[in-house]
């Protein structure tokens, strides 16, 4: 029986086809499963096509489906659907081949690739001469042999085009015409990696499966991870993947992501990478994969730092894995700690801002505090940055703790400070209050006493914002100590540390990931231009890999290009509002975007009022509520912390350049990387920023 695999683009554009054509496409795939040779399919060769495997199938009077017939086996590929002439034009010069080294399907146009390397002709009206790119002697890609280029994923027909590359500019022009896996590997080589390193970093170790016997052998494609193909497994599966509300991430994974999803480990594992590289997607697919292997009462826990991300993940998991969702618990860190403490009959409450202010005023007025050579602000900061998040409960622990990045303290000074911290804890206890970090500490003690059952598998997102005590909690609630397989998977990115400013190596919490740590490098969310701007915002900042080493971004790459970020300088709030309204009008009136695909950050009441006065609805992104998406129109707005974990086609940062603290730079990175296609950056003097804060 024949198999039919559908290309990603067919699914993306299916909803745009007329209803009658959609019905015909469903019928076509069903007929293939029944008998691919039946005459009613009208499968005909396209003689003008350069690839002899190309076929055409009727899906209505005016529409044609482009199907690639195998030279070996019975796996057919449905690649494209369009009006008759457009469909034929799309496929005429393309080749569709299984790569003999990688096993992946590759679609490429040799003539287009060669043309990309030719110098562009100057515009006649401008009559500006084109400066040729500088030819670099011994350019790194020239050092690869033809066989090495083939092992990197370059089709044999495109090796001469790669041979013509003489510099980075040449490679940038050619990369868009190479199969994506080949472009990714070569980009790694161009960035300074060895070929083996680039293949491992970009694709992971190659699948140990039977490779194709020739470029027309597709019989293996259903058994490997393909970035752009999905096998149709019956009518119900077809209707599911063709439904309008199914997101691409639920169907397609990069080969490297798939390896991490199904990676069998005998200890904790870590997935890290810059924003947009698919870390959370990999985590969710791994949670589903693990849940399918649970038995009896075993449970999978997914926990995050922020409430909103846990709400988002919970909704997405219900779509991704409905059959095992009852085995998966999704919650944020503080709610998890509350649940654990409640199970142990804790009856207190979390200290509010006013409670803490009252306690600190009382403690700092006591003799022990008045004798200190430190400001009240420093003392409180020391408690909130060191004592509480690290779960320090004894003077000896405080005397020996490493306080990286903090003002050095002598032993005598620590002893004096400790007496104040003991009093703060006594005041909290007397009022039956806990801080959030205190709650986490108490929850860990409950788990370690055996008063709360652990989980079979634990997965943690946003790990960069977890304190030492929070890391100890997730370690204790996972089956690391029991020695069970796949106990804990932690996911994060040091570039996005906006809650816990002090990096805490995982090893300090007993989470040993050496040999089980993998970095994702391919950015799927943001354009290369936006990615560049975001990383430039952190230029000069050492970003850690979550376990005490510096994160290496060599070879990081976005899979698509877009407009450069728009940088605007405004001297007052009226100019800011005018710039944003003009920008939103330009995006929406041209039909580029819908309002729900646009987000502004941080909250600015004058900008919101200006948008509303110009007829634009607005929607505030609130705590513990998922973004309603296309179900509710309106330009989104929220704090930079609130939009973390979300993505939009366009984002405006309304206060860039008004401050220059490290936290501000990290927040700008997070905000910028929420944008997929368009980024507006408004730079303002500090005085204008102060006015904005008053208005907000």
């Amino acid at each position: 029986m024949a198999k039919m695999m559908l290309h990603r683009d067919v699914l993306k554009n299916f909803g745009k086809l007329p209803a009658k054509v959609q019905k015909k496409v469903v019928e076509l795939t069903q007929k293939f499963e029944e008998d691919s040779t039946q005459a009613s399919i009208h499968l005909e060769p396209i003689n003008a096509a350069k690839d002899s495997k190309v076929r055409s199938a009727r899906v209505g009077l005016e529409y044609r489906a482009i199907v690639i017939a195998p030279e070996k086996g019975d796996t057919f590929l449905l690649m494209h659907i369009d009006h008759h002439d457009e469909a034929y034009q799309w496929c005429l010069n393309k080749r569709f081949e299984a790569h003999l080294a990688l096993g992946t399907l590759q679609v490429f146009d040799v003539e287009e690739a060669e043309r990309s390397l030719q110098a562009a002709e100057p515009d006649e009206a401008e009559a500006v001469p084109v400066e040729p790119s500088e030819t670099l002697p011994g350019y790194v890609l020239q050092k690869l042999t033809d066989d090495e280029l083939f092992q990197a994923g370059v089709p044999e027909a495109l090796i001469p085009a790669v041979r013509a590359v003489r510099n980075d500019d040449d490679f940038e022009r050619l990369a868009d015409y190479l199969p994506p896996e080949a472009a990714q590997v070569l980009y790694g080589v161009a960035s300074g990696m060895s070929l083996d390193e680039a293949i491992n970093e970009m694709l992971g170790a190659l699948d140990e499966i039977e490779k194709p016997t020739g470029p027309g052998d597709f019989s293996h494609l259903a058994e490997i991870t393909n970035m752009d193909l999905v096998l149709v497994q019956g009518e119900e599966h077809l209707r599911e993947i063709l439904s309008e509300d199914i997101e691409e991430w639920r169907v397609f994974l990069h080969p490297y992501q798939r390896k991490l999803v199904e990676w069998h480990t005998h200890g904790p594992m870590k997935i890290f990478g810059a924003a947009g590289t698919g870390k959370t997607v990999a985590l969710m697919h791994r949670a589903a994969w693990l849940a399918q292997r649970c038995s009896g009462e075993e449970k999978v826990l997914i926990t995050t730092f922020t409430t909103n991300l846990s709400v988002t993940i919970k909704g997405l998991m219900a779509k991704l894995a409905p059959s095992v969702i009852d085995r998966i618990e999704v919650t944020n860190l503080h709610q998890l700690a509350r649940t654990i403490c409640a199970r142990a009959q804790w009856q207190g409450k979390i200290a509010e801002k006013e409670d803490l202010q009252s306690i600190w005023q009382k403690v700092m007025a006591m003799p022990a505090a008045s004798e200190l050579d430190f400001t009240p602000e420093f003392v409180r900061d020391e408690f909130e940055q060191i004592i509480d998040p690290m779960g320090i409960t004894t003077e000896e622990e405080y005397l020996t703790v490493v306080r990286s990045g903090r003002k050095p303290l002598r032993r005598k000074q620590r002893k004096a400070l400790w007496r104040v911290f003991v009093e703060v804890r006594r005041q909290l206890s007397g009022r039956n209050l806990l801080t959030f970090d205190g709650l986490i500490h108490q929850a860990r003690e409950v788990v370690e006493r055996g008063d709360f059952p652990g989980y079979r598998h634990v997965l943690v997102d946003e790990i960069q914002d977890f304190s030492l005590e929070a890391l100890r909690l997730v370690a204790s609630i996972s089956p690391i100590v029991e020695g069970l397989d796949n106990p804990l998977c932690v996911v994060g990115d040091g570039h996005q540390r906006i809650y816990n400013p002090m990096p805490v190596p995982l090893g300090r919490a007993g989470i040993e990931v050496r040999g089980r740590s993998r970095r994702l490098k391919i950015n799927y969310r943001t354009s290369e231009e936006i990615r560049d701007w975001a990383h430039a915002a952190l230029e000069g900042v050492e970003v850690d890999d979550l376990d005490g080493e510096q994160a290496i971004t060599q070879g990081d790459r976005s899979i698509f290009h877009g407009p450069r970020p728009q940088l605007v300088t405004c001297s007052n709030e009226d100019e800011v509002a005018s710039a944003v309204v003009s920008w939103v009008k330009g995006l929406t009136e041209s039909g580029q975007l819908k309002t729900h695909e646009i987000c502004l950050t941080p909250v600015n009441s004058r900008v919101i009022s200006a948008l509303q006065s110009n007829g634009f609805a607005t929607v505030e992104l609130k705590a513990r509520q998922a973004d309603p998406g296309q179900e509710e129109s309106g330009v989104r707005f929220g704090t930079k912390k609130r939009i973390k974990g979300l993505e939009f086609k366009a984002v405006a940062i309304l206060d860039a350049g008004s401050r220059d603290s490290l936290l501000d730079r990290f927040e700008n990175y997070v905000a910028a990387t929420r944008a997929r296609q368009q980024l507006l950056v408004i730079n303002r003097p500090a005085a204008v920023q102060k006015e904005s804060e008053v208005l907000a």
Side-chain angles (χ1 to χ4, degrees):
M1 178 170 38
K3 300 176 182 177
M4 176 70 83
M5 298 189 77
L6 268 58
H7 192 271
R8 178 196 297 256
D9 290 343
V10 173
L11 305 187
K12 286 174 63 175
N13 299 318
F14 186 77
K16 302 176 185 177
L17 297 173
K20 290 183 179 180
V21 177
Q22 293 183 12
K23 182 178 179 182
K24 289 289 185 181
V25 173
V26 173
E27 292 175 355
L28 173 67
T29 57
Q30 292 172 342
K31 288 178 179 179
F32 259 95
E33 288 189 354
E34 296 166 1
D35 181 4
S36 61
T37 64
Q38 56 183 292
S40 61
I41 292 178
H42 299 291
L43 196 64
E44 303 169 353
I46 300 179
N47 295 326
K50 291 191 175 180
D51 192 324
S52 62
K53 301 187 294 297
V54 176
R55 301 287 187 271
S56 167
R58 296 182 188 178
V59 283
L61 294 177
E62 300 178 1
Y63 282 79
R64 295 294 181 270
I66 301 303
V67 177
I68 311 304
E71 293 175 341
K72 178 182 178 181
D74 57 0
T75 301
F76 290 76
L77 313 176
L78 177 52
M79 301 296 298
H80 189 73
I81 302 171
D82 207 335
H83 289 89
H84 179 283
D85 292 349
E86 287 82 353
Y88 276 45
Q89 187 62 40
W90 179 84
C91 67
L92 285 184
N93 296 321
K94 288 183 172 63
R95 298 193 188 183
F96 307 84
E97 298 181 354
H99 193 276
L100 301 187
L102 302 185
T104 56
L105 176 75
Q106 298 188 326
V107 182
F108 56 93
D109 185 320
V110 176
E111 293 181 4
E112 280 191 352
E114 292 173 345
R115 282 197 297 270
S116 73
L117 291 174
Q118 299 172 2
E121 293 295 331
D123 189 291
E124 292 182 3
E126 297 178 357
V128 178
V130 175
E131 295 291 336
S133 300
E134 179 186 1
T135 297
L136 301 179
Y139 184 62
V140 62
L141 296 185
Q142 296 297 311
K143 299 176 183 178
L144 298 178
T145 66
D146 286 2
D147 182 62
E148 287 174 326
L149 288 173
F150 184 71
Q151 294 302 316
V154 180
E156 289 183 347
L158 289 183
I159 288 178
V162 178
R163 282 265 164 262
V165 170
R166 293 291 183 269
N167 49 55
D168 287 340
D169 289 340
D170 283 352
F171 177 59
E172 286 287 350
R173 286 192 291 270
L174 177 63
D176 289 340
Y177 300 95
L178 294 173
E181 59 272 17
Q184 291 163 11
V185 172
L186 292 184
Y187 188 84
V189 174
S191 299
M193 299 180 186
S194 69
L195 178 60
D196 288 343
E197 287 174 339
I199 291 175
N200 285 328
E201 287 282 338
M202 301 301 179
L203 302 179
L206 299 178
D207 286 310
E208 296 299 326
I209 64 166
E210 183 179 352
K211 295 294 191 297
T213 58
D217 178 10
F218 306 144
S219 56
H220 68 293
L221 290 178
E223 307 301 325
I224 69 172
T225 301
N226 286 277
M227 287 182 276
D228 298 310
L229 290 172
V230 59
L231 176 66
V232 177
Q233 298 175 301
E235 181 180 353
E236 184 176 344
H237 181 235
L238 174 64
R239 294 189 183 280
E240 178 188 350
I241 62 177
L242 291 179
S243 65
E244 292 185 5
D245 64 342
I246 191 165
E247 300 89 348
E248 290 181 56
W249 65 268
R250 290 164 58 189
V251 180
F252 302 101
L253 287 175
H254 186 280
Y256 201 5
Q257 288 177 311
R258 175 61 68 186
K259 291 177 187 301
L260 297 182
V261 167
E262 300 177 358
W263 190 15
H264 189 81
T265 67
H266 295 290
M269 64 176 282
K270 178 185 73 176
I271 301 173
F272 68 119
T277 52
K279 302 180 297 297
T280 300
V281 168
L283 175 142
M284 289 190 290
H285 278 272
R286 182 167 177 81
W289 182 73
L290 292 170
Q292 290 164 359
R293 284 153 182 77
C294 286
S295 59
E297 299 299 315
E298 293 178 339
K299 289 272 189 177
V300 174
L301 171 69
I302 301 176
T303 190
T304 69
F305 188 83
T306 62
T307 303
N308 278 39
L309 183 56
S310 67
V311 170
T312 299
I313 290 178
K314 188 171 185 177
L316 294 175
M317 287 304 304
K319 296 180 180 179
L320 175 65
S323 62
V324 292
I325 193 62
D326 59 322
R327 300 178 186 172
I328 302 173
E329 181 179 325
V330 185
T331 187
N332 69 84
L333 171 65
H334 294 125
Q335 185 56 52
L336 172 66
R338 285 177 187 271
T339 300
I340 294 171
C341 290
R343 185 78 64 88
Q345 280 76 52
W346 177 63
Q347 299 294 323
K349 69 168 190 165
I350 300 298
E352 301 287 347
K353 182 179 180 180
E354 295 76 12
D355 297 321
L356 294 173
Q357 189 65 28
S358 172
I359 288 173
W360 278 104
Q361 286 178 347
K362 183 174 183 178
V363 171
M364 293 307 296
M366 294 179 176
S370 61
E371 297 171 1
L372 295 175
D373 296 327
F374 304 105
T375 65
E377 291 76 20
F378 174 85
V379 177
R380 181 169 179 176
D381 192 57
E382 181 78 357
F383 181 84
E384 293 177 346
Q385 297 297 326
I386 301 296
I387 302 299
D388 222 15
M390 291 190 176
I392 296 174
T393 58
T394 68
E395 182 182 66
E396 186 59 32
E397 287 176 335
Y398 183 47
L399 293 176
T400 57
V401 71
V402 176
R403 302 164 58 260
S404 302
R406 302 280 295 172
K407 176 182 177 180
L409 294 175
R410 297 189 301 275
R411 182 180 178 88
K412 182 178 180 181
Q413 291 173 315
R414 294 197 192 195
K415 280 179 168 290
L417 284 166
W418 181 251
R419 289 194 289 272
V420 175
F421 301 148
V422 168
E423 184 58 34
V424 171
R425 287 244 174 92
R426 193 180 71 80
Q427 291 289 331
L428 285 166
S429 178
R431 303 185 192 193
N432 202 20
L433 297 174
L434 284 177
T435 62
F436 275 120
D437 284 311
L439 178 73
I440 291 169
H441 174 77
Q442 182 160 310
R444 177 172 70 87
E445 290 185 332
V446 171
V447 173
E448 292 179 349
R449 289 199 306 266
D451 294 338
F452 187 86
Y455 295 84
R456 178 59 185 85
H457 307 283
V458 175
L459 301 98
V460 185
D461 205 353
E462 304 180 302
I463 198 70
Q464 74 278 352
D465 288 318
F466 279 52
S467 66
L468 176 60
E469 194 67 352
L471 291 174
R472 288 169 173 160
L473 172 61
V474 297
S476 66
I477 207 168
S478 74
I480 293 177
V481 176
E482 291 91 324
L484 300 180
D485 58 355
N486 305 313
L488 176 64
C489 172
V490 298
V491 174
D493 172 27
H495 297 85
Q496 300 182 68
R497 180 176 285 108
I498 60 176
Y499 288 98
N500 183 23
M502 183 175 295
V504 182
L506 295 169
R508 288 184 63 185
I511 302 174
E512 299 295 341
V513 295
R514 291 184 182 181
R516 297 183 297 274
S517 176
R518 297 293 183 271
R519 177 175 177 81
L520 292 172
K521 289 183 169 290
I522 308 302
N523 187 308
Y524 306 93
R525 180 195 300 140
T526 61
S527 69
E528 181 68 8
E529 289 72 16
I530 294 174
R531 190 191 72 83
D532 278 344
W533 188 92
H535 280 270
L538 293 178
E539 185 176 1
V541 177
E542 278 199 11
V543 177
D544 66 290
D545 71 347
L546 312 178
D547 201 26
E549 301 293 332
Q550 185 174 352
I552 304 299
T553 58
Q554 179 188 39
D556 282 18
R557 176 79 168 176
S558 293
I559 63 171
F560 66 97
H561 288 274
R564 291 185 179 279
Q566 297 180 46
L567 309 181
V568 178
T569 299
C570 296
S571 59
N572 57 58
E573 279 296 296
D574 289 335
E575 288 186 8
V576 173
S578 177
V580 173
V581 170
S582 176
W583 179 70
V584 172
K585 281 184 176 180
L587 295 176
T588 56
E589 291 180 357
S590 65
Q592 282 182 269
L593 302 179
K594 297 178 181 178
T595 54
H596 74 273
E597 297 172 322
I598 302 171
C599 182
L600 316 176
T601 188
V603 178
N604 183 306
S605 59
R606 184 170 293 182
V607 171
I608 301 306
S609 296
L611 284 170
Q612 293 171 349
S613 298
N614 281 270
F616 291 102
T618 60
V619 176
E620 182 178 4
L621 298 168
K622 298 179 180 179
R624 294 177 290 280
Q625 293 182 18
D627 181 358
Q630 62 184 357
E631 295 179 3
E632 183 176 353
S633 62
V635 176
R636 276 33 178 177
F637 66 93
T639 65
K640 292 173 186 176
K641 287 183 169 69
R642 184 71 67 224
I643 70 172
K644 189 173 182 293
L646 303 177
E647 67 176 74
F648 304 90
K649 290 186 177 179
V651 169
I653 301 176
L654 308 182
D655 65 347
S658 57
R659 301 188 185 94
D660 196 29
S661 73
L662 186 56
L663 177 59
D664 293 325
R665 294 171 70 183
F666 277 115
E667 286 191 344
N668 282 339
Y669 175 91
V670 169
T673 53
R674 303 309 98 195
R676 182 169 178 80
Q677 301 170 359
Q678 301 276 354
L679 177 63
L680 173 66
V681 180
I682 296 182
N683 291 297
R684 297 184 292 171
V688 179
Q689 171 62 21
K690 187 174 182 181
E691 177 190 357
S692 172
E693 290 172 347
V694 171
L695 290 168

